[in-house]
Amino acid sequence: MKTQISSKKTILITGGGGDWAQSFANEFSDAFDITLVSRQQLDVTQDSEVASYFEGKVFDVVINNAGCIHPNRLLESDSAEWIQDISVNLIGTYLVSKYALKNNQNTLIINISSTAGFNAYKDWSSYCSSKAGVITLSKSMANDGFEVICMAPGAIETKFRDKFNIPNNNIMTCSEFSKHVVDVLNGQYQSGDVLFIRKNEFVLNP
């Protein structure tokens, strides 16, 4: 019997232990060959660890979904945790993208930023700064000739929101956000595009 070769797109999602990543994998495992990698499996802030993880691995798509938030006023912030937000959200995106593209320069990179990247919320200096950096990094990568889409979602119903207490009447479900991700995977956007996504609002390249 001949071995069947899968024609499914191979997708790596960092932050694989999070609610959205788990939801996406459960919903679309038949359509895509999905690998989830959690923070316990890969510290995206460590150059050598990321380089080692990608040895011998090639993916069609990499979704930089790993993220963290330290919501505190600057003077009350913990310096290490503030810096950790920058390290995970921005530097982690850079490192994972770099080593994924070293193995396959045709890999589609989907960087998950946030609508917070367009704002300067009270107590969110580290998160807003890091997510703004992800938007700029994505545009720079596209200008360098790589295929990159930046997605900037608003509130999604996940445990991530347990870290802060901000009322929001426009929270997306994981499935609602996933529909936008599938549109990206189906080639509906051009490299360098930034997708600003809220439950009742969508703006392309705000």
Short mmCIF file of all heavy atoms in Angstrom, two decimals, residues 18-45:
data_model
loop_
_atom_site.label_atom_id
_atom_site.label_comp_id
_atom_site.label_asym_id
_atom_site.label_seq_id
_atom_site.Cartn_x
_atom_site.Cartn_y
_atom_site.Cartn_z
N GLY A 18 -3.03 28.07 25.09
CA GLY A 18 -4.09 29.04 25.31
C GLY A 18 -5.42 28.61 24.72
O GLY A 18 -5.49 27.72 23.85
N ASP A 19 -6.47 29.26 25.16
CA ASP A 19 -7.82 28.87 24.76
C ASP A 19 -8.05 29.02 23.27
O ASP A 19 -8.68 28.15 22.64
CB ASP A 19 -8.85 29.72 25.51
CG ASP A 19 -8.89 29.40 26.99
OD1 ASP A 19 -8.45 28.30 27.38
OD2 ASP A 19 -9.37 30.24 27.77
N TRP A 20 -7.58 30.14 22.67
CA TRP A 20 -7.84 30.29 21.23
C TRP A 20 -7.12 29.22 20.42
O TRP A 20 -7.72 28.61 19.52
CB TRP A 20 -7.44 31.68 20.70
CG TRP A 20 -7.60 31.65 19.21
CD1 TRP A 20 -8.77 31.71 18.51
CD2 TRP A 20 -6.56 31.42 18.25
NE1 TRP A 20 -8.52 31.53 17.16
CE2 TRP A 20 -7.18 31.35 16.99
CE3 TRP A 20 -5.17 31.25 18.34
CZ2 TRP A 20 -6.45 31.16 15.80
CZ3 TRP A 20 -4.46 31.04 17.17
CH2 TRP A 20 -5.08 31.00 15.92
N ALA A 21 -5.85 28.98 20.71
CA ALA A 21 -5.09 27.97 19.96
C ALA A 21 -5.74 26.60 20.08
O ALA A 21 -5.87 25.86 19.09
CB ALA A 21 -3.64 27.92 20.46
N GLN A 22 -6.16 26.25 21.27
CA GLN A 22 -6.82 24.96 21.48
C GLN A 22 -8.13 24.89 20.71
O GLN A 22 -8.45 23.87 20.09
CB GLN A 22 -7.10 24.76 22.98
CG GLN A 22 -5.85 24.63 23.85
CD GLN A 22 -5.17 23.28 23.69
OE1 GLN A 22 -5.83 22.26 23.52
NE2 GLN A 22 -3.85 23.28 23.75
N SER A 23 -8.89 25.97 20.73
CA SER A 23 -10.15 26.02 20.00
C SER A 23 -9.93 25.88 18.50
O SER A 23 -10.65 25.13 17.82
CB SER A 23 -10.87 27.34 20.30
OG SER A 23 -12.00 27.51 19.47
N PHE A 24 -8.94 26.59 17.98
CA PHE A 24 -8.66 26.53 16.55
C PHE A 24 -8.26 25.12 16.13
O PHE A 24 -8.73 24.59 15.11
CB PHE A 24 -7.54 27.52 16.19
CG PHE A 24 -7.29 27.61 14.71
CD1 PHE A 24 -8.04 28.46 13.92
CD2 PHE A 24 -6.29 26.85 14.11
CE1 PHE A 24 -7.81 28.55 12.55
CE2 PHE A 24 -6.06 26.93 12.76
CZ PHE A 24 -6.81 27.78 11.96
N ALA A 25 -7.39 24.49 16.92
CA ALA A 25 -6.96 23.13 16.61
C ALA A 25 -8.13 22.16 16.63
O ALA A 25 -8.25 21.28 15.77
CB ALA A 25 -5.87 22.70 17.58
N ASN A 26 -9.00 22.30 17.62
CA ASN A 26 -10.16 21.41 17.70
C ASN A 26 -11.11 21.60 16.54
O ASN A 26 -11.68 20.63 16.02
CB ASN A 26 -10.91 21.65 19.02
CG ASN A 26 -10.15 21.17 20.23
OD1 ASN A 26 -9.32 20.27 20.12
ND2 ASN A 26 -10.41 21.77 21.38
N GLU A 27 -11.25 22.84 16.10
CA GLU A 27 -12.22 23.13 15.04
C GLU A 27 -11.70 22.83 13.65
O GLU A 27 -12.47 22.45 12.76
CB GLU A 27 -12.63 24.61 15.13
CG GLU A 27 -13.80 24.98 14.23
CD GLU A 27 -14.32 26.39 14.49
OE1 GLU A 27 -13.83 27.05 15.43
OE2 GLU A 27 -15.25 26.82 13.77
N PHE A 28 -10.38 22.94 13.44
CA PHE A 28 -9.86 22.87 12.08
C PHE A 28 -8.79 21.80 11.88
O PHE A 28 -8.06 21.82 10.89
CB PHE A 28 -9.29 24.24 11.67
CG PHE A 28 -10.34 25.31 11.57
CD1 PHE A 28 -10.48 26.24 12.59
CD2 PHE A 28 -11.19 25.35 10.49
CE1 PHE A 28 -11.45 27.23 12.52
CE2 PHE A 28 -12.17 26.34 10.39
CZ PHE A 28 -12.31 27.28 11.41
N SER A 29 -8.73 20.83 12.77
CA SER A 29 -7.71 19.78 12.63
C SER A 29 -7.93 18.93 11.38
O SER A 29 -6.98 18.32 10.86
CB SER A 29 -7.69 18.89 13.87
OG SER A 29 -8.95 18.28 14.07
N ASP A 30 -9.15 18.87 10.88
CA ASP A 30 -9.40 18.11 9.66
C ASP A 30 -8.93 18.86 8.42
O ASP A 30 -8.59 18.25 7.41
CB ASP A 30 -10.90 17.80 9.52
CG ASP A 30 -11.38 16.76 10.52
OD1 ASP A 30 -10.52 16.02 11.07
OD2 ASP A 30 -12.60 16.69 10.77
N ALA A 31 -8.91 20.17 8.50
CA ALA A 31 -8.56 20.98 7.34
C ALA A 31 -7.06 21.28 7.26
O ALA A 31 -6.51 21.46 6.17
CB ALA A 31 -9.34 22.30 7.37
N PHE A 32 -6.40 21.33 8.42
CA PHE A 32 -4.98 21.69 8.47
C PHE A 32 -4.21 20.73 9.36
O PHE A 32 -4.78 20.11 10.26
CB PHE A 32 -4.81 23.13 9.01
CG PHE A 32 -5.60 24.17 8.29
CD1 PHE A 32 -6.71 24.76 8.89
CD2 PHE A 32 -5.26 24.56 7.00
CE1 PHE A 32 -7.46 25.72 8.24
CE2 PHE A 32 -5.99 25.53 6.33
CZ PHE A 32 -7.10 26.11 6.95
N ASP A 33 -2.92 20.62 9.10
CA ASP A 33 -2.02 19.83 9.95
C ASP A 33 -1.43 20.79 10.98
O ASP A 33 -0.49 21.53 10.69
CB ASP A 33 -0.93 19.21 9.08
CG ASP A 33 0.03 18.34 9.88
OD1 ASP A 33 -0.16 18.23 11.10
OD2 ASP A 33 0.96 17.79 9.28
N ILE A 34 -2.01 20.80 12.18
CA ILE A 34 -1.72 21.84 13.17
C ILE A 34 -0.82 21.31 14.28
O ILE A 34 -1.09 20.27 14.87
CB ILE A 34 -3.03 22.37 13.78
CG1 ILE A 34 -3.93 22.96 12.69
CG2 ILE A 34 -2.74 23.43 14.85
CD1 ILE A 34 -5.34 23.27 13.15
N THR A 35 0.25 22.05 14.55
CA THR A 35 1.13 21.77 15.69
C THR A 35 1.01 22.91 16.68
O THR A 35 1.21 24.08 16.33
CB THR A 35 2.60 21.65 15.24
OG1 THR A 35 2.74 20.57 14.31
CG2 THR A 35 3.51 21.41 16.44
N LEU A 36 0.65 22.58 17.91
CA LEU A 36 0.59 23.56 18.98
C LEU A 36 1.83 23.42 19.85
O LEU A 36 2.21 22.32 20.22
CB LEU A 36 -0.65 23.34 19.85
CG LEU A 36 -2.01 23.38 19.16
CD1 LEU A 36 -3.12 23.15 20.19
CD2 LEU A 36 -2.24 24.70 18.44
N VAL A 37 2.45 24.54 20.19
CA VAL A 37 3.60 24.50 21.08
C VAL A 37 3.35 25.48 22.22
O VAL A 37 3.05 26.65 22.01
CB VAL A 37 4.92 24.82 20.33
CG1 VAL A 37 4.90 26.19 19.70
CG2 VAL A 37 6.11 24.68 21.26
N SER A 38 3.41 24.96 23.45
CA SER A 38 3.11 25.76 24.62
C SER A 38 4.38 26.40 25.18
O SER A 38 5.50 26.08 24.76
CB SER A 38 2.47 24.88 25.70
OG SER A 38 3.44 23.98 26.21
N ARG A 39 4.20 27.28 26.14
CA ARG A 39 5.36 27.94 26.76
C ARG A 39 6.24 26.94 27.50
O ARG A 39 7.44 27.15 27.66
CB ARG A 39 4.91 29.07 27.68
CG ARG A 39 4.18 28.62 28.93
CD ARG A 39 3.85 29.81 29.82
NE ARG A 39 2.97 30.74 29.14
CZ ARG A 39 2.64 31.93 29.62
NH1 ARG A 39 3.17 32.34 30.77
NH2 ARG A 39 1.83 32.72 28.98
N GLN A 40 5.63 25.83 27.98
CA GLN A 40 6.41 24.80 28.65
C GLN A 40 7.29 24.04 27.65
O GLN A 40 8.36 23.53 27.99
CB GLN A 40 5.49 23.81 29.38
CG GLN A 40 4.78 24.38 30.61
CD GLN A 40 3.62 25.29 30.26
OE1 GLN A 40 3.02 25.14 29.20
NE2 GLN A 40 3.29 26.21 31.15
N GLN A 41 6.85 23.96 26.42
CA GLN A 41 7.60 23.25 25.39
C GLN A 41 8.62 24.14 24.69
O GLN A 41 9.63 23.65 24.19
CB GLN A 41 6.63 22.69 24.34
CG GLN A 41 5.67 21.65 24.87
CD GLN A 41 4.57 21.35 23.89
OE1 GLN A 41 3.84 22.22 23.44
NE2 GLN A 41 4.45 20.08 23.53
N LEU A 42 8.35 25.43 24.65
CA LEU A 42 9.25 26.35 23.95
C LEU A 42 9.17 27.73 24.58
O LEU A 42 8.11 28.35 24.63
CB LEU A 42 8.85 26.44 22.47
CG LEU A 42 9.63 27.47 21.63
CD1 LEU A 42 11.11 27.09 21.56
CD2 LEU A 42 9.04 27.60 20.23
N ASP A 43 10.32 28.21 25.07
CA ASP A 43 10.43 29.57 25.57
C ASP A 43 10.81 30.47 24.39
O ASP A 43 11.97 30.47 23.96
CB ASP A 43 11.49 29.65 26.67
CG ASP A 43 11.59 31.04 27.29
OD1 ASP A 43 11.02 31.99 26.72
OD2 ASP A 43 12.25 31.17 28.34
N VAL A 44 9.83 31.19 23.87
CA VAL A 44 10.06 31.96 22.65
C VAL A 44 11.01 33.13 22.85
O VAL A 44 11.43 33.76 21.88
CB VAL A 44 8.72 32.47 22.06
CG1 VAL A 44 7.81 31.30 21.69
CG2 VAL A 44 8.01 33.43 23.01
N THR A 45 11.37 33.42 24.09
CA THR A 45 12.27 34.54 24.37
C THR A 45 13.74 34.15 24.30
O THR A 45 14.61 35.02 24.37
CB THR A 45 11.98 35.16 25.74
OG1 THR A 45 12.40 34.26 26.78
CG2 THR A 45 10.50 35.46 25.92
#
